[in-house]
Amino acid sequence: SLLFVYSSFFFFKQKTAYEIYQCDWSSDVCSSDLIGAQRIDSTGNALWGPDGHMVWKQPGFWHTAAYHARIVDDGAGGAYVITSGGLRTYGQHLNSSGSETWAANGIVLQATDTATWAVDTEPEICRDGGGGLFLVQTRNHVYAQHVDINGSLLFGSAGIIAASVSGTTEYFSGASIDEDGFGGAVVGWHRWDNGAESVGGLRFDGFGTVLWNDKQLFDAPGGDEIQAVQVVGDDVGGAQYVWKRHVPDPPRKDDVYALGVNAQGLPPEPVLYGLVPDAAQPGDVIPALLFGDYLDDTYGYELRHNPGTVPFTGLTAFNPGLVGGWFDFSGAATGAWDLYATLGGSDRATLADAFGVGLPPSCPDDEWLAPRTTAANFGSRRKMAFDSGGNSYFSFTASSSSRQCSNVPNV
């Protein structure tokens, strides 16, 4: 069986290339080579020799129950390889030529030799976005480690405990990890608590600070099982989680669930930052760009100015921070308009005074629209925008009833 990692790397054990299996220590099948790695280019050529590079081998490396292996690219043509067993987790770095850059037989990524967590758990790794890697393992705790390209353990020799359970009836398993886009990582896992099962997650930064911890993302109904939890970072601090819910009793079935969270570990809500252009003349039909976070075409967007509403039509979601569309200001009243994001008839985000509808002013752009009346009242400048024909439009919020520019329409 093949294990693709970033479409470039494969793992294999023993002498059967590209195959992963558990060594049987009662036979001689694991008496020589143990774990190897191979790099394949886009045309299928093996770049690290016909047999790849053997990372851990016998004799010289006694690694009982070395059944788990993972690989991730380093962003520069090389790779990080890890394995676990015998109460330890080991790692090695291979450069783009497939040569080892760390000590022979690798380094111990977790130095704990007491049976607290490294035994019978499966570590998972991901890139850190800066040439290193993150590692996570689960059992009674969620342990994490950060390793740079030189093999330095940035979270200390024992790593950090990112989440814990109490008592002997709870444990974590099935960890998944991905980079968060800001030099940290997001993590997901399956949690078992005296028969009750759930999906949890957390996020930590590159210095080992847990940013949000042990989020209970989904509770399975009694008797149902959680399997195959996976997490993918969204590159802006949030993540998408997916898992399988197995219903063992009739009607026996499997359901797949997905859930997204924002950078705070909460269900993402849209955030509105502004529009370009931010002003127009009554009767204009104009294209516009809407800026924000967690935006897409499942939301509706509109401008409101009591009692009118102008919808944002012809939506194109370019990315989670940019949506394009059109406004039709036929019959629109002059004044400041508020921007709304809606979903299912409810308002999900608001940006006050996001847009101005007015007539071309004759006063200079830097003219004060209100005088300084007190130390706390500095007046207000108009907001200017220009269309493709060079016409200017504006909106403002006056801080005084008097205005210095008598030619400015009262909008």
Side-chain angles (χ1 to χ4, degrees), residues 81-371:
V81 187
I82 67 164
T83 188
S84 66
L87 306 181
R88 291 189 173 192
T89 299
Y90 294 83
Q92 181 60 268
H93 176 249
L94 306 177
N95 63 21
S96 59
S97 300
S99 300
E100 298 177 2
T101 69
W102 294 349
N105 291 325
I107 61 173
V108 178
L109 300 181
Q110 290 290 345
T112 305
D113 283 338
T114 57
T116 55
W117 69 283
V119 66
D120 79 352
T121 66
E122 298 181 349
E124 298 293 339
I125 58 176
C126 73
R127 297 193 300 179
D128 67 357
L133 79 151
F134 290 115
L135 174 145
V136 66
Q137 285 184 259
T138 55
R139 189 59 180 173
N140 295 333
H141 307 293
V142 177
Y143 280 86
Q145 182 59 268
H146 188 191
V147 187
D148 67 16
I149 197 167
N150 299 313
S152 300
L153 305 182
L154 303 182
F155 290 172
S157 61
I160 63 169
I161 298 176
S164 301
V165 295
S166 59
T168 59
T169 63
E170 299 178 72
Y171 65 85
F172 301 106
S173 67
S176 177
I177 187 171
D178 195 22
E179 56 187 308
D180 68 358
F182 289 97
V186 287
V187 183
W189 61 77
H190 160 222
R191 183 173 184 166
W192 190 90
D193 182 5
N194 198 27
E197 303 191 28
S198 60
V199 178
L202 62 80
R203 178 189 175 201
F204 59 82
D205 65 19
F207 301 99
T209 300
V210 178
L211 303 177
W212 45 267
N213 183 16
D214 198 7
K215 294 287 185 179
Q216 204 80 355
L217 302 175
F218 177 80
D219 293 312
D224 293 355
E225 301 172 1
I226 298 295
Q227 301 172 358
V229 177
Q230 295 292 314
V231 62
V232 177
D234 65 5
D235 294 330
V236 290
Q240 288 83 43
Y241 291 85
V242 63
W243 63 91
K244 183 175 76 171
R245 171 192 167 194
H246 174 66
V247 181
D249 297 325
R252 185 185 182 93
K253 64 175 183 177
D254 292 323
D255 296 321
V256 176
Y257 290 75
L259 175 69
V261 298
N262 62 18
Q264 290 73 46
L266 303 173
E269 291 287 343
V271 180
L272 302 173
Y273 294 150
L275 285 162
V276 174
D278 59 10
Q281 192 171 359
D284 283 347
V285 179
I286 61 169
L289 294 174
L290 192 158
F291 296 89
D293 279 330
Y294 298 105
L295 308 179
D296 58 43
D297 55 11
T298 62
Y299 295 102
Y301 306 95
E302 60 186 37
L303 289 168
R304 297 179 194 169
H305 175 81
N306 190 30
T309 299
V310 176
F312 199 40
T313 60
L315 297 182
T316 299
F318 298 103
N319 57 56
L322 182 64
V323 176
W326 291 80
F327 285 119
D328 184 349
F329 292 101
S330 299
T334 59
W337 290 64
D338 301 332
L339 177 64
Y340 287 81
T342 65
L343 182 66
S346 64
D347 297 337
R348 308 303 289 267
T350 306
L351 181 62
D353 298 331
F355 201 91
V357 178
L359 300 173
S362 58
C363 294
D365 185 30
D366 61 352
E367 180 75 10
W368 286 102
L369 296 179

Side-chain angles (χ1 to χ4, degrees), residues 62-82:
W62 184 255
H63 193 19
T64 60
Y67 66 91
H68 183 78
R70 288 291 184 266
I71 190 168
V72 66
D73 73 290
D74 65 1
Y80 294 101
V81 187
I82 67 164

